[in-house]
């Protein structure tokens, strides 16, 4: 099952490739490390859930001028997945979309992330268990789970997620890391640093959305780097001091090309910060972020690397292979 009908910025790149190049990308072992569960629901499943609930299909794709507008898309999706059953169904469909078509463009390995939500039907821990039940239907070498903390959460909620994640890891569940995500300017970063460190001390890895907007301050970025995280999401607006730390510590960066272009945080591929990492041979992972609103897939993201300019970055096949290898090496141990 393809995750979503494609129409995003990578589609032109994919369509410009020769059959031989497409086949090369299909069989290339691709590792997806930055995909948000509720952002990757297949449209078909969302439509079914909306029909069953008797509500209109949520608006999930619209042109954005400001990245903040993006977060308004999610409450309508959340309203459709408040029960463990709906959540399991959605998770299963998302995993199938990424993993089941291995010889036809799918991912060899996936770290799927999601923000545990409390509803009248389940606690945050039960949310994680429902997602983990689906994740654990696959072999260990195909998929693992990351629990996200949303920047709009208070300390009590963030701590509840970290403590539940630690417990689940101790129980042998396939949870590998914590993530900090959500509305880019919200929240008390000092508090999140404190809470995420607790998780790290208990053996969970940490990845953080960092400097995704030009409005994220250098002070905030340095605080997040002090955790220290094992990987970084986006890392679009790092200043020189932060770049020096990231390069020195060789912290892998999760690169989401379509997401950055659609959210308008990067103006063009030409201007994308991936270029500096490619030039430096720095570890990166090519990721989709949210296939539902961005209408992309791991294939279209890799097509953006291979396609000729101006549709893509015009890397050679061996350069693309090297990038895919870096992503595989950036997996969190499970
Ligand atoms: C920051 C993002 C994001 O967790 O409910 N999310 N946070 N930047 C992004 N890039 C544009 N894309 C998605 O999946 C949806 C949630 O992931 C976060 C947002 O908090 C969004 O509500 P889950 O499964």
């Amino acid at each position: 099952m393809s995750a979503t009908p494609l129409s995003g910025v990578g589609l032109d790149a994919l369509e410009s490739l020769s059959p031989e190049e497409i086949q090369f990308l299909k069989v290339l072992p691709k590792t997806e490390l930055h995909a948000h569960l509720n952002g990757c629901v297949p449209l078909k499943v969302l439509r079914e859930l909306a029909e069953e609930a008797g509500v209109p299909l949520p608006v999930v794709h619209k042109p954005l001028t400001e990245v903040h507008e993006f977060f308004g898309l999610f409450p309508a999706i959340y309203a459709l997945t408040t029960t463990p059953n709906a959540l399991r169904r959605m998770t299963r469909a998302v995993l199938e979309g990424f993993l089941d078509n291995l010889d036809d463009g799918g991912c060899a390995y996936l770290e799927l992330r999601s923000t545990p939500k409390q509803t009248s039907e389940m606690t945050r821990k039960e949310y994680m268990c429902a997602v983990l039940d689906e994740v654990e239907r696959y072999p260990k070498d195909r998929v693992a789970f990351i629990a996200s903390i949303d920047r709009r959460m208070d300390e009590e909620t963030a701590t509840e997620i970290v403590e539940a994640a630690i417990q689940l890891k101790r129980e042998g569940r396939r949870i590998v890391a914590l993530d900090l995500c959500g509305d880019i300017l919200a929240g008390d970063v000092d508090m999140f640093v404190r809470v995420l460190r607790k998780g790290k001390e208990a053996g969970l890895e940490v990845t953080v959305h960092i400097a995704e907007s030009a409005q994220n301050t250098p002070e905030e970025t340095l605080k997040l780097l002090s955790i220290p995280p094992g990987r970084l999401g986006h890392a679009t607006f790092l200043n020189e001091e932060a770049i020096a730390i990231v390069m020195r510590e060789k912290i892998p960066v999760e690169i989401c090309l379509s997401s950055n272009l659609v959210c308008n945080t990067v103006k063009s591929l030409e201007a994308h910060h991936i270029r500096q990492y490619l030039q430096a041979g720095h570890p990166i992972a090519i990721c989709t972020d949210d296939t539902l609103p961005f209408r992309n897939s791991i294939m279209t993201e890799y097509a953006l690397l291979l396609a000729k300019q101006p549709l893509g970055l015009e890397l050679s096949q061996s350069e693309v292979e090297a990038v895919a290898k870096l992503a595989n090496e950036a997996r969190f141990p499970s």
Side-chain angles (χ1 to χ4, degrees):
M1 185 193 307
S2 158
T4 307
L6 302 172
S7 67
V9 289
L11 190 59
D12 289 343
L14 188 63
E15 287 180 341
S16 75
L17 299 178
S18 69
E20 179 270 329
E21 287 171 319
I22 291 178
Q23 186 56 24
F24 161 77
L25 287 186
K26 277 187 177 172
V27 298
L28 179 74
K30 296 173 288 299
T31 304
E32 165 65 82
L33 300 180
H34 187 130
H36 298 268
L37 173 62
N38 281 269
C40 293
V41 198
L43 197 55
K44 180 174 168 288
V45 174
L46 199 66
R47 188 174 288 123
E48 284 166 12
L49 290 169
E51 271 169 20
E52 286 163 29
V55 298
L57 182 68
V59 174
V60 288
H61 182 74
K62 58 176 184 179
L64 303 170
T65 46
E66 259 295 315
V67 62
H68 311 281
E69 296 166 18
F70 174 74
F71 300 96
L73 302 176
F74 287 96
I77 303 176
Y78 294 155
L80 297 174
T81 52
T82 55
T83 65
N85 268 349
L87 178 61
R88 278 206 184 90
R89 198 163 133 197
M90 173 175 87
T91 307
R92 190 173 292 203
V94 171
L95 294 172
E96 282 171 7
F98 278 109
L99 296 171
D100 283 10
N101 50 353
L102 185 55
D103 299 330
D104 194 26
C107 296
Y109 188 74
L110 164 70
E111 283 174 17
L112 182 67
R113 61 186 70 189
S114 190
T115 318
K117 283 151 213 81
Q118 181 173 316
T119 72
S120 56
E121 308 268 347
M122 59 187 160
T123 63
R124 290 182 209 279
K125 191 170 180 198
E126 285 165 346
Y127 181 106
M128 289 196 244
C129 287
V131 176
L132 281 165
D133 286 346
E134 293 301 322
V135 162
E136 289 163 359
R137 292 175 66 246
Y138 286 81
K140 213 174 163 185
D141 62 357
R142 296 296 315 279
V143 54
F145 176 61
I146 297 175
S148 296
I149 291 171
D150 187 317
R151 291 183 62 140
R152 288 158 290 195
M153 285 173 170
D154 60 17
E155 182 155 9
E156 196 186 331
T157 311
T159 304
E160 181 190 338
I161 292 176
V162 171
E163 284 174 357
I166 294 170
Q167 262 177 28
L168 288 166
K169 186 171 164 63
R170 290 196 178 132
E171 288 164 19
R173 305 298 305 258
R174 209 183 299 160
I175 178 165
V176 289
L178 298 166
D179 163 46
L180 180 66
C181 70
D183 198 344
I184 287 157
L185 297 177
D188 170 6
V189 168
D190 288 312
M191 180 274 277
F192 292 123
V193 168
R194 229 177 16 248
V195 170
L196 288 166
R197 272 204 189 125
K198 266 193 208 157
K200 199 171 158 73
E201 281 158 18
L204 285 160
E205 299 282 345
V206 172
T207 176
V208 289
H209 285 62
I210 192 167
E212 194 178 352
S213 156
Q215 294 177 60
N216 292 118
T217 64
E219 292 72 35
E220 170 187 306
T221 297
L222 290 178
K223 281 179 188 171
L224 289 172
L225 285 175
S226 76
I227 294 174
R231 280 202 320 252
L232 305 173
H234 299 287
T236 312
F237 295 94
L238 298 180
N239 68 6
E240 263 178 43
E241 188 182 0
I243 289 179
I245 296 171
V246 171
M247 295 275 187
R248 189 186 65 225
E249 303 299 326
K250 296 191 169 49
I251 310 175
V253 179
E254 300 152 2
I255 296 279
C256 307
L257 296 168
S258 297
S259 162
N260 299 153
L261 294 171
V262 175
C263 289
N264 214 16
T265 54
V266 178
K267 295 292 169 219
S268 63
L269 273 184
E270 184 64 27
H272 200 282
H273 50 292
I274 188 176
R275 289 179 175 274
Q276 68 183 348
Y277 296 123
L278 288 171
Q279 214 164 25
H282 185 83
I284 55 171
I286 299 299
C287 306
T288 55
D289 207 4
D290 300 279
T291 56
L292 179 66
F294 301 141
R295 308 218 167 159
N296 59 348
S297 71
I298 197 71
M299 278 292 285
T300 60
E301 293 306 299
Y302 272 88
L304 287 168
L305 299 184
L306 193 59
K308 301 258 179 303
Q309 293 181 31
L311 292 177
L313 290 161
E314 209 169 327
L315 301 192
S316 68
Q317 292 193 3
S318 58
E319 285 168 328
V320 174
E321 269 168 350
V323 170
K325 194 161 169 280
L326 289 173
N328 185 47
E329 289 164 2
R331 286 158 55 156
F332 286 137
S334 62

